[in-house]
Amino acid sequence: MEKIINSLEEPHWVAITHTSDIAAARRLGQRLAQQLGFDDTRAGQLAIIITELATNMLKHAGEGRLALSVVHSGEANGIEVLGYDRGPGIANLGQALRDGVSSAGTAGTGLGALKRLADEFDVYAPRGKGAVFFARLWDDTAPAAPLQSGAVCLPLAGETASGDAWAVARQRHTLTLLMVDGLGHGPEAAKAATAAVQAMAQQPSLRPAEQIEVCHQALRPTRGAALAVALLDPAAGLLHFAGVGNISACIIDHGPRRQLVSHNGIVGHNMRKVQEFTLPCAPGALIVMASDGISTQWDLEQYPGLTGCAPSVIAAVLLRDCARGRDDASVLVQRCPGAA
């Protein structure tokens, strides 16, 4: 089994409102690069990416948010840079992605060079609808193929710890997805979320209903949580799902989204027998899971071309546009492996 991806590695957020924030984001990137043992070349590439993306947001949108996260996949360790703004978008994305073209007053690096420097890179910036930038850099043991998982988690304003958490675990033939929202917010909610992720990490191949029962026992000493688990079997084209509490989940596959049903209750305290559902899930379909800090009134059809973007970009767009602002907010997006 591969390592759980980004489960306990909360993103480090930097608000980009002034040129000094760019330096702060770059210093944060340097610390993460040292933590992972990046060599000087890789650390320098990370610094360029952070500088260019933050400068682009400041120059064209006036402000934005940047999130840096440590990512794991098997033996590979990496750093993800994810940024979003509410600016004018990019009128000519094709030109902007040409290597060496920079309209932000930087040293001619440009988005095209960032695409070349990063192992994984994507942009979603339709005219008039802001921009989302995504880049991943891996150490010298990069995965053979880009990850098809992406997630973003933003604590409630004023909190240092998020009560939401997520995890993706790979087995030989299946993928297990977990989204958990600890009751309330702050450190006690974070304890509940962490307990659920740790319980799932011990036996990630369990069926969703069994997984929730295991988490129910693990969360008894905590304040409890809403929790959902999905087990994806790409070869069979099936998704097995169970949820308790206000976690929204759906499948999107060339048509209206298919909502997955969660039942009332609090994992760890008040939970009836868990019901599990099985639905078809074709290669290329998207599975989207979100905490109740995200409004459910979203529709990816309002974002032309977004479904073809990297999962992290999709998650960031939903967070930017649909976070309620009164609770921790998290989105997990998984693309079903295989040809779309």
Side-chain angles (χ1 to χ4, degrees):
M1 186 197 77
E2 292 191 4
K3 292 181 181 178
I4 288 182
I5 302 166
N6 227 24
S7 57
L8 299 178
E9 305 272 354
E10 287 189 15
H12 303 268
W13 287 94
V14 180
I16 305 297
T17 60
H18 187 269
T19 53
S20 61
D21 298 324
I22 301 173
R26 194 164 51 240
R27 288 193 297 270
L28 174 58
Q30 289 174 339
R31 290 200 298 272
L32 294 179
Q34 291 174 352
Q35 173 185 325
L36 292 185
F38 275 24
D39 61 25
D40 290 343
T41 299
R42 215 61 173 134
Q45 291 170 335
L46 177 64
I48 291 172
I49 288 173
I50 292 170
T51 301
E52 183 70 26
L53 294 187
T55 301
N56 193 82
M57 289 191 291
L58 195 61
K59 177 72 173 180
H60 297 294
E63 62 180 10
R65 283 181 178 268
L66 203 65
L68 277 68
S69 306
V70 171
V71 185
H72 306 291
S73 180
E75 297 302 315
N77 300 297
I79 296 174
E80 177 174 305
V81 184
L82 190 62
Y84 65 76
D85 62 52
R86 300 179 183 275
I90 300 176
N92 191 332
L93 184 58
Q95 181 180 8
L97 289 175
R98 287 172 51 198
D99 207 350
V101 175
S102 176
S103 61
T106 59
T109 306
L111 297 180
L114 303 194
K115 182 178 180 180
R116 173 172 49 80
L117 290 174
D119 295 309
E120 300 171 43
F121 183 81
D122 204 0
V123 181
Y124 185 72
R127 186 193 295 268
K129 293 188 176 181
V132 173
F133 305 95
F134 157 76
R136 278 192 187 128
L137 287 86
W138 296 97
D139 57 17
D140 56 3
T141 55
L147 298 182
Q148 293 300 311
S149 307
V152 63
C153 179
L154 182 66
L156 177 67
E159 295 288 356
T160 57
S162 175
D164 293 353
W166 64 274
V168 176
R170 279 179 164 78
Q171 292 74 239
R172 177 171 295 182
H173 300 297
T174 61
L175 284 166
T176 300
L177 317 176
L178 176 143
M179 173 66 73
V180 55
D181 180 355
L183 204 62
H185 50 81
E188 292 304 313
K191 288 180 182 178
T194 299
V197 172
Q198 291 175 340
M200 181 263 214
Q202 298 302 312
Q203 303 179 80
S205 60
L206 291 177
R207 292 286 295 241
E210 297 173 323
Q211 191 69 254
I212 291 178
E213 292 287 355
V214 169
C215 288
H216 184 55
Q217 299 303 318
L219 267 63
R220 285 194 180 279
T222 75
R223 60 172 55 175
L227 190 149
V229 179
L231 180 66
L232 177 60
D233 185 343
L238 296 174
L239 182 76
H240 310 286
F241 176 84
V244 175
N246 293 327
I247 299 292
S248 67
C250 66
I251 300 172
I252 300 173
D253 183 18
H254 305 297
R257 63 185 184 186
R258 288 174 285 158
Q259 206 68 32
L260 304 173
V261 178
S262 289
H263 294 285
N264 293 333
I266 302 172
V267 178
H269 291 279
N270 179 25
M271 189 181 78
R272 298 179 180 178
K273 181 176 176 58
V274 181
Q275 187 173 1
E276 185 173 305
F277 302 92
T278 299
L279 296 91
C281 191
L286 296 174
I287 300 100
V288 181
M289 303 171 73
S291 69
D292 68 353
I294 300 293
S295 168
T296 59
Q297 303 304 308
W298 54 266
D299 182 358
L300 292 190
E301 292 185 1
Q302 296 179 1
Y303 300 90
L306 181 59
T307 56
C309 289
S312 289
V313 171
I314 300 170
V317 169
L318 293 178
L319 177 77
R320 181 193 65 186
D321 294 353
C322 302
R324 300 180 191 273
R326 58 178 184 266
D327 198 358
D328 306 315
S330 297
V331 183
L332 167 61
V333 179
Q334 172 71 50
R335 179 171 279 113
C336 184

